[in-house]
Amino acid sequence: MADLEDSVAIPEFSCLLQMDPYLKAYEKDFKRRYELLQKQLFQLEEAEGGFDQFTRSYNTFGVHRLPDNRLFFKEWAPAAEALFLTGDFNGWDKFAHPYTKKEFGKWELILPPKHDKSPAVDHNTKLKVVVHTKEGERLYRISPWAKYVTREEKSVIYDWVHWDPPQPYIQIHPRPKKPTSLRIYEAHVGIASPEGKIASYTNFTNNVLPRIKDLGYNCIQLMAIMEHAYYASFGYQITSFFAASSRYGTPEELKQLLDAAHSMGIVVLLDVVHSHASKNTEDGLNAFDGSDSCFFHSPPRGEHKLWDSRLFNYSSWEVLRFLLSNLRWWMEEYRFDGFRFDGITSMLYHHHGIGSGFSGDYSEYFGLQVDEDSLVYLMLANHILHTLYPDCITVAEDVSGMPALCRGVEEGGLGFDYRLAMAIPDKWIQILKELKDEDWDMGNIVHTLTNRRYGEKCIAYAESHDQALVGDKSLAFWLMDKEMYTNMSSTSPLTPIIDRGLQLHKMIRLLTHALGGEGYLNFIGNEFGHPEWLDFPREGNNQSYHYARRQFNLVAMDHLRYCQLYAFDRDMNRTEDKYGWLAAAPAFISATHQEDKVIVFDRANVLFIFNFHPSKSFQGYRVAVEVPGKYKIKLDSDEAQYGGHGRLDHNTEFFTEAQPFKGRSNSMQVNHLL
């Protein structure tokens, strides 16, 4: 590689400028970022022989069984005075097995096999690292690289358990090809059953995967998999980064879940939290070596005031080793297909997005407020993932609207495939909270759904886990509220509130699906209008599981209307699968009629017509269309099977006329617009 003293050119920066010429003013910033990335790659090449070995450091750190059954232990604890290994294997002797100090703050220990040649530490037995600090303290720690940790019922603290099963689960199904249209089912294993308890990986494999497949989703985003000591953190306060949460079962059962998903042609993304870490010390990363830094910046920079958590030092070599190897581990060991990166806004800016409105002015995305260490970490992570796994999918959760977030690294972008369109669910909640039906602003809704950076793919959603959390409630509950408890039976008359709620629930979803992005996301249970909200067991609710479950049993009851919403969600996804509007160019909007409350657009040669008017239907309504010919109804929210009134004749054929209208070459009359 050439010496990096020469200025590095961004190979395809001109492509980025073609998309957005206004970025030319910030060319220096893009250049500096790209140079920092190239410098990191150059150093990796020099010091580690490239990123391939470096990102597989889980093969040497933590504990690793060698071919002759010796066990090799390795840790990075730069501030420690001494390290010892203790556990069931040595009767919890705190001094019998010292690590040897190596350079750069590394510590190593080799345990020879037992007399019978089996490893010195048995599978499923407990271990601890004993850290002696320079101040003379003795601390008990879990290895940051621990692959399995469990908590005994009466205990608060998690234990490091050596996981080396005699019959590991072998995955046999190949990874599916990367979908062109991404239809994501956001799921949480623990709440994925109607029972008031923590559900298991096996329950998810047997009972939830077939449902996701039936609904037409081709991607699952799994939340709360990385181990977190506090269940009610929803999986966002990570304590063990390499451990799959044991509260749902064993690592082998999670591997089986992924294998089963792959056999159904479904890709699985891990909700990865590299933006911060739990403050826990005994069973977390915090103060692993007794110092206030180690994996993190020293306070105040290393603390997130709102989240009460620790912030990584992305400029540290060993932190890069840890986090990049972590991504590789989930891809290799469990065969995930990609990641949804949580809390990107907090990483990108020194202010962490706290108290920042983000007006969209470009100066907000460049300059001293940007944390270039973490920005370059994200570029590096995306570059490595997409180089090693060309079909890998990465999704960014960013509220700031950082330009080039979803453009390739070679253009000077951050390299994500998709960003979450976070303004869309906020808009729907705001409308339902604040406005009467007749006050809905069609232009404003369409603007929110289409206001995205050209050439950067978005995942649209009407609601995710964020909107379901306690203090808020699901869209279905905003629409129908307490009537859901009494009036969801199809054996009783349809009340105005339930009627309106069912129709809007479907229309909001279809409009978001068709207009809002290049991917679509639904949170588990919301596809059938799950009532109420989500709340995990905690002190404030007497450790209740009542709201920490998904009542799939409601769909199974034919006399309830939930199955009608489920059927619409399924057929909406299947229709997209057939016509592929998510993979098509953005829609052409030919009408946003405020008085009529009508929205008309076409995308992927499919014509979408929405009538949001609370009381008016229209006869002989002219709509614009580009492609001439014969049109037929393919999806109709008013069909009886979807809880509608069945007023449209699906045998009707609509013929275009060569009459230009609203910016399109052709148009046609729609007899009934309900």
Side-chain angles (χ1 to χ4, degrees):
M1 190 170 172
D3 187 22
L4 272 158
E5 292 311 305
D6 318 324
S7 176
V8 178
I10 306 171
E12 294 170 33
F13 189 56
S14 57
C15 297
L16 186 63
L17 293 185
Q18 263 177 322
M19 295 252 178
D20 187 351
Y22 291 105
L23 292 174
K24 178 80 178 150
Y26 301 97
E27 185 168 3
K28 269 198 178 118
D29 295 83
F30 280 106
K31 238 177 155 149
R32 188 175 60 253
R33 294 170 183 182
Y34 190 76
E35 277 177 24
L36 288 167
L37 170 74
Q38 291 305 321
K39 189 175 163 196
Q40 290 278 29
L41 289 168
F42 182 70
Q43 287 174 343
L44 279 172
E45 203 66 53
E46 294 283 286
E48 305 277 345
F51 59 69
D52 188 26
Q53 280 304 106
F54 186 68
T55 57
R56 282 195 290 202
S57 293
Y58 49 79
N59 285 335
T60 46
F61 281 76
V63 55
H64 189 58
R65 179 161 54 84
L66 302 172
D68 61 1
N69 275 354
R70 283 182 305 157
L71 292 176
F72 179 66
F73 293 81
K74 185 172 184 174
E75 298 299 345
W76 174 63
E81 189 62 39
L83 246 63
F84 296 87
L85 184 72
T86 187
D88 291 330
F89 79 100
N90 70 1
W92 294 96
D93 188 318
K94 293 185 283 289
F95 303 105
H97 294 92
Y99 285 71
T100 307
K101 190 172 189 177
K102 301 288 181 184
E103 55 181 357
F104 308 120
K106 312 277 174 52
W107 300 81
E108 291 179 5
L109 164 65
I110 292 178
L111 290 185
K114 296 187 215 163
H115 292 307
D116 64 2
K117 300 285 188 287
S118 65
V121 179
D122 292 337
H123 166 60
N124 221 0
T125 62
K126 291 178 188 173
L127 292 165
K128 267 199 195 312
V129 179
V130 187
V131 178
H132 288 240
T133 68
K134 292 187 169 61
E135 293 73 42
E137 278 184 288
R138 188 191 301 152
L139 309 170
Y140 293 92
R141 296 287 185 257
I142 287 177
S143 167
W145 302 78
K147 298 174 176 74
Y148 188 58
V149 296
T150 61
R151 185 175 63 84
E152 302 210 337
E153 204 172 326
K154 300 273 188 289
S155 172
V156 180
I157 305 292
Y158 272 73
D159 295 305
W160 175 19
V161 174
H162 180 51
W163 191 258
D164 188 11
Q167 268 92 41
Y169 181 82
I170 310 291
Q171 289 165 310
I172 53 170
H173 295 285
R175 281 196 172 103
K177 261 181 65 64
K178 182 177 180 172
T180 47
S181 293
L182 206 57
R183 299 183 299 275
I184 303 174
Y185 195 84
E186 184 187 31
H188 182 295
V189 171
I191 65 168
S193 94
E195 295 174 67
K197 63 173 193 183
I198 297 176
S200 67
Y201 293 127
T202 306
N203 164 71
F204 198 93
T205 304
N206 296 340
N207 300 322
V208 186
L209 285 181
R211 183 183 294 276
I212 295 170
K213 174 72 176 160
D214 179 58
L215 281 162
Y217 292 95
N218 54 17
C219 176
I220 298 167
Q221 184 176 296
L222 271 189
M223 306 175 64
I225 294 295
M226 298 164 78
E227 190 60 272
H228 46 293
Y230 184 44
Y231 188 47
S233 75
F234 218 148
Y236 291 120
Q237 296 262 346
I238 307 297
T239 42
S240 288
F241 283 72
F242 286 81
S245 181
S246 61
R247 52 171 66 82
Y248 320 124
T250 67
E252 309 314 297
E253 287 160 347
L254 175 57
K255 289 175 193 175
Q256 197 170 0
L257 186 162
L258 269 102
D259 206 20
H262 288 163
S263 78
M264 297 175 179
I266 298 171
V267 296
V268 188
L269 308 183
L270 176 76
D271 199 343
V272 74
V273 187
H274 280 182
S275 44
H276 65 131
S278 164
K279 264 191 167 166
N280 289 16
T281 51
E282 280 192 66
D283 55 8
L285 280 187
N286 193 15
F288 173 66
D289 63 356
S291 73
D292 66 0
S293 52
C294 198
F295 288 93
F296 310 106
H297 287 291
S298 293
R301 188 178 173 187
E303 288 180 333
H304 196 295
K305 293 285 178 278
L306 285 187
W307 295 346
D308 193 31
S309 54
R310 296 301 316 263
L311 299 172
F312 286 106
N313 175 4
Y314 302 99
S315 63
S316 155
W317 195 254
E318 293 306 319
V319 171
L320 288 182
R321 180 195 304 281
F322 183 77
L323 294 175
L324 293 170
S325 295
N326 189 235
L327 297 172
R328 189 89 193 265
W329 166 255
W330 293 105
M331 293 294 286
E332 289 285 334
E333 182 72 9
Y334 291 95
R335 302 192 55 243
F336 277 91
D337 301 285
F339 301 95
R340 176 248 196 207
F341 280 76
D342 178 68
I344 293 296
T345 313
S346 171
M347 294 174 73
L348 290 176
Y349 308 96
H350 291 295
H351 54 63
H352 307 303
I354 298 169
S356 200
F358 292 111
S359 64
D361 188 294
Y362 276 15
S363 63
E364 296 170 338
Y365 306 119
F366 302 95
L368 294 176
Q369 67 269 36
V370 176
D371 186 338
E372 293 201 331
D373 290 342
S374 42
L375 184 142
V376 171
Y377 163 69
L378 292 169
M379 290 174 79
L380 190 60
N382 274 311
H383 171 70
I384 290 172
L385 284 170
H386 290 105
T387 304
L388 292 169
Y389 314 99
D391 271 2
C392 176
I393 299 164
T394 58
V395 179
E397 187 216 22
D398 168 46
V399 292
S400 75
M402 167 71 78
L405 185 71
C406 301
R407 296 303 302 174
V409 166
E410 63 289 344
E411 291 182 15
L414 272 76
F416 285 98
D417 295 292
Y418 296 88
R419 64 179 352 133
L420 291 170
M422 299 178 78
I424 297 175
D426 291 348
K427 175 55 67 179
W428 287 125
I429 293 282
Q430 182 211 341
I431 288 170
L432 295 180
K433 264 185 189 172
E434 297 173 10
L435 301 176
K436 294 200 210 64
D437 290 8
E438 53 272 26
D439 298 331
W440 285 28
D441 182 336
M442 297 295 109
N444 183 252
I445 290 170
V446 166
H447 173 74
T448 303
L449 284 163
T450 54
N451 180 25
R452 53 187 184 270
R453 293 187 57 80
Y454 181 73
E456 298 197 37
K457 290 194 275 196
C458 279
I459 288 168
Y461 55 106
E463 53 185 333
S464 72
H465 69 271
D466 285 324
Q467 284 69 40
L469 283 172
V470 67
D472 211 326
K473 48 193 180 185
S474 66
L475 283 186
F477 217 58
W478 275 113
L479 287 162
M480 298 176 273
D481 210 75
K482 60 182 183 296
E483 282 211 19
M484 292 189 83
Y485 296 127
T486 51
N487 298 338
M488 281 298 273
S489 171
S490 43
T491 57
S492 58
L494 193 60
T495 66
I497 283 179
I498 295 291
D499 188 13
R500 165 189 178 269
L502 291 176
Q503 311 323 322
L504 287 178
H505 193 271
K506 292 174 289 187
M507 290 170 71
I508 286 170
R509 283 178 144 59
L510 181 59
L511 183 59
T512 304
H513 204 307
L515 197 56
E518 290 68 38
Y520 176 77
L521 178 142
N522 165 69
F523 178 63
I524 182 170
N526 289 348
E527 69 276 6
F528 64 82
H530 201 287
E532 302 170 328
W533 53 88
L534 200 59
D535 190 15
F536 285 84
R538 56 191 171 85
E539 271 178 33
N541 65 14
N542 292 326
Q543 304 297 335
S544 166
Y545 284 89
H546 182 73
Y547 296 108
R549 60 196 180 109
R550 298 279 94 177
Q551 299 177 55
F552 293 125
N553 51 306
L554 296 174
V555 182
M557 299 180 196
D558 291 346
H559 68 283
L560 296 183
R561 300 185 188 279
Y562 297 100
C563 59
Q564 298 169 340
L565 295 177
Y566 177 100
F568 183 78
D569 200 82
R570 176 195 66 208
D571 292 351
M572 171 174 74
N573 282 321
R574 290 180 182 182
T575 309
E576 195 289 325
D577 194 53
K578 187 172 178 183
Y579 297 101
W581 59 73
L582 289 170
F588 182 92
I589 298 138
S590 55
T592 47
H593 199 295
Q594 181 56 16
E595 200 180 319
D596 293 350
K597 297 280 184 274
V598 168
I599 297 170
V600 183
F601 59 89
D602 58 272
R603 188 175 182 189
N605 294 339
V606 180
L607 180 65
F608 294 88
I609 308 171
F610 293 85
N611 174 13
F612 280 98
H613 203 288
S615 57
K616 244 182 172 173
S617 294
F618 302 96
Q619 308 290 320
Y621 207 90
R622 181 162 293 279
V623 295
V625 61
E626 189 56 36
V627 182
K630 178 176 78 174
Y631 283 73
K632 291 197 75 164
I633 296 170
K634 288 296 174 191
L635 186 65
D636 166 19
S637 66
D638 194 49
E639 258 196 89
Q641 62 160 327
Y642 307 140
H645 300 278
R647 291 169 291 189
L648 295 180
D649 179 0
H650 284 218
N651 294 317
T652 309
E653 295 178 336
F654 302 86
F655 293 93
T656 59
E657 301 163 49
Q659 184 181 332
F661 188 62
K662 308 265 186 169
R664 284 324 224 175
S665 313
N666 298 282
S667 59
M668 61 189 177
Q669 291 278 110
V670 176
N671 320 347
H672 299 288
L673 188 51
L674 301 169

